[in-house]
Amino acid sequence: MQAKRLPAGGTIGLFCPSHVADMTRYEADITAIKRLGFRVKLSENFEKATNGYAASAQERAADFNALVADASVDMILFNGGNSAVEILPLIDYENVRQHPKLISSYSDATPVLNAIHAQTGLVTYYGTCAGDFRDLRYYNYMQFLAHFMEGYEARGFCQDSPWRVIHGGSCQGTLVGEYTSQFSQLLANRYFNYDTGRKYILFIESHEKFSWVGKVATDLAFIGQSRFMDNVAGLVFGHYATTQPDDFLRLLERFGKEHDIPVVYSDDFGHGAKRAVFPIGMDARLDADGQKMSFLGYNETNEKRSRPSGI
């Protein structure tokens, strides 16, 4: 199931599943979004700090559920941060099925994206968040247009830098993934499930400023030792550092060899400057040796016009 594309002048709803909104920062995001011609709607409890670190789980979930049900809202964006997983039991998944919206974020708030897809079948998006608009890079804007705007489409992963092929090969599967440590924990969560009869292409990312190679190794081990790994056909790992440590690259190489799957490293998504978008729940084909990924499931009924340069 896919949501309708974002029309020119459409409304983008913002909520905070994992932090208290600092309006001195969000004002810049909101101004930039409006400058592109969109309307912005803030959730009711956007600035609340009921729990100290965030609004209560009930308030945050109510904000999300209200934005989903609001017919004037075309897209929902949220930024990263801890504690978003608290709202998973309180999301009205039937509401999402009845009112499918474009939903996008990145970083460690994104268990919400995977839970929504797992519970409803709606394609959600890892990559674009509200904070990206404050200093909107050309590549990130092109990704926003290609994946979300009415009249455009992304037929594949748009590279802005060469991939590092860690373990070659090709595969096909359904895209799933998020921030590495969150995904390794999500595998035990009742709101995440997967089809044991399907293959999946896993995309994950971590960054040296939040982690270290030993921590990434722990997360990969949890993933590799899970039952889900039997269904993983390939791995795409996002930006980790400006210069990747040798032990990090050897870790990815061991993982690819141990599980005999194609593994590639890309600087085009994650906690760097670039925000490539991954549609969670969409089928894709990965050719590691050819350094390309094609998306197989965008609605053929979408009205199309000339795609942006490079997309």
Side-chain angles (χ1 to χ4, degrees):
M1 177 171 58
Q2 295 176 52
K4 293 181 179 179
R5 293 299 187 98
L6 180 62
T11 298
I12 297 175
L14 304 183
F15 90 115
C16 292
S18 53
H19 60 277
V20 179
D22 177 356
M23 291 308 296
T24 60
R25 293 175 61 84
Y26 270 99
E27 285 295 347
D29 303 338
I30 294 166
T31 298
I33 293 171
K34 288 181 176 179
R35 192 178 297 124
L36 294 174
F38 301 108
R39 295 182 292 272
V40 174
K41 184 163 189 175
L42 300 183
S43 60
E44 181 179 350
N45 300 297
F46 197 68
E47 298 180 70
K48 279 194 177 179
T50 308
N51 286 352
Y53 55 86
S56 71
Q58 290 77 12
E59 289 168 331
R60 286 175 275 154
D63 280 358
F64 177 75
N65 293 334
L67 290 175
V68 169
D70 189 334
S72 72
V73 174
D74 301 293
M75 182 178 194
I76 300 173
L77 291 179
F78 54 94
N79 289 337
N82 292 305
S83 78
V85 70
E86 291 182 319
I87 77 170
L88 298 192
L90 303 170
I91 291 174
D92 185 343
Y93 296 104
E94 182 58 31
N95 183 31
V96 175
R97 281 189 284 268
Q98 294 299 319
H99 306 95
K101 301 280 173 75
L102 295 169
I103 305 171
S104 180
S105 184
Y106 99 116
S107 191
D108 46 7
T110 48
V112 173
L113 300 178
N114 282 289
I116 288 170
H117 172 69
Q119 294 298 312
T120 70
L122 176 68
V123 172
T124 57
Y125 297 86
Y126 186 95
T128 300
C129 67
D132 293 337
F133 293 88
R134 189 183 316 133
D135 180 22
L136 189 58
R137 311 294 178 91
Y138 177 79
Y139 176 77
N140 299 343
Y141 181 53
M142 292 297 101
Q143 286 288 287
F144 176 80
L145 291 179
H147 286 273
F148 304 123
M149 285 299 296
E150 207 169 62
Y152 295 102
E153 67 167 351
R155 294 184 180 178
F157 186 98
C158 177
Q159 291 176 251
D160 197 48
S161 58
W163 287 355
R164 186 187 289 264
V165 180
I166 306 296
H167 194 251
S170 60
C171 64
Q172 185 169 318
T174 302
L175 287 165
V176 66
E178 60 172 299
Y179 192 64
T180 305
S181 62
Q182 297 290 325
F183 190 78
S184 68
Q185 297 175 72
L186 189 68
L187 291 172
N189 191 293
R190 70 178 65 189
Y191 295 97
F192 175 78
N193 52 56
Y194 61 94
D195 184 346
T196 57
R198 297 179 70 88
K199 288 295 185 181
Y200 292 85
I201 297 175
L202 177 62
F203 66 89
I204 50 178
E205 55 99 357
S206 186
H207 197 277
E208 62 178 354
K209 66 182 177 183
F210 304 119
S211 189
W212 62 98
V213 176
K215 178 62 169 64
V216 178
T218 300
D219 295 332
L220 283 178
F222 273 119
I223 294 169
Q225 294 167 28
S226 71
R227 291 184 176 88
F228 174 70
M229 194 65 212
D230 295 336
N231 293 81
V232 175
L235 173 66
V236 183
F237 204 103
H239 177 77
Y240 180 73
T242 302
T243 302
Q244 300 81 35
D246 288 342
D247 54 349
F248 170 70
L249 295 175
R250 288 195 296 268
L251 169 63
L252 294 183
E253 183 179 19
R254 289 195 302 273
F255 191 84
K257 288 181 177 178
E258 178 183 354
H259 299 286
D260 193 24
I261 59 172
V263 176
V264 298
Y265 172 90
S266 169
D267 281 314
D268 293 336
F269 73 101
H271 281 75
K274 301 172 187 176
R275 296 281 192 275
V277 173
F278 286 88
I280 295 172
M282 184 172 292
D283 289 343
R285 184 178 295 114
L286 171 65
D287 177 0
D289 299 304
Q291 297 196 36
K292 62 182 179 180
M293 177 189 288
S294 54
F295 300 141
L296 307 178
Y298 270 113
N299 289 332
E300 293 301 322
T301 56
N302 282 338
E303 181 185 355
K304 303 178 181 70
R305 60 174 175 254
S306 297
R307 289 179 288 157
S309 174
I311 300 298

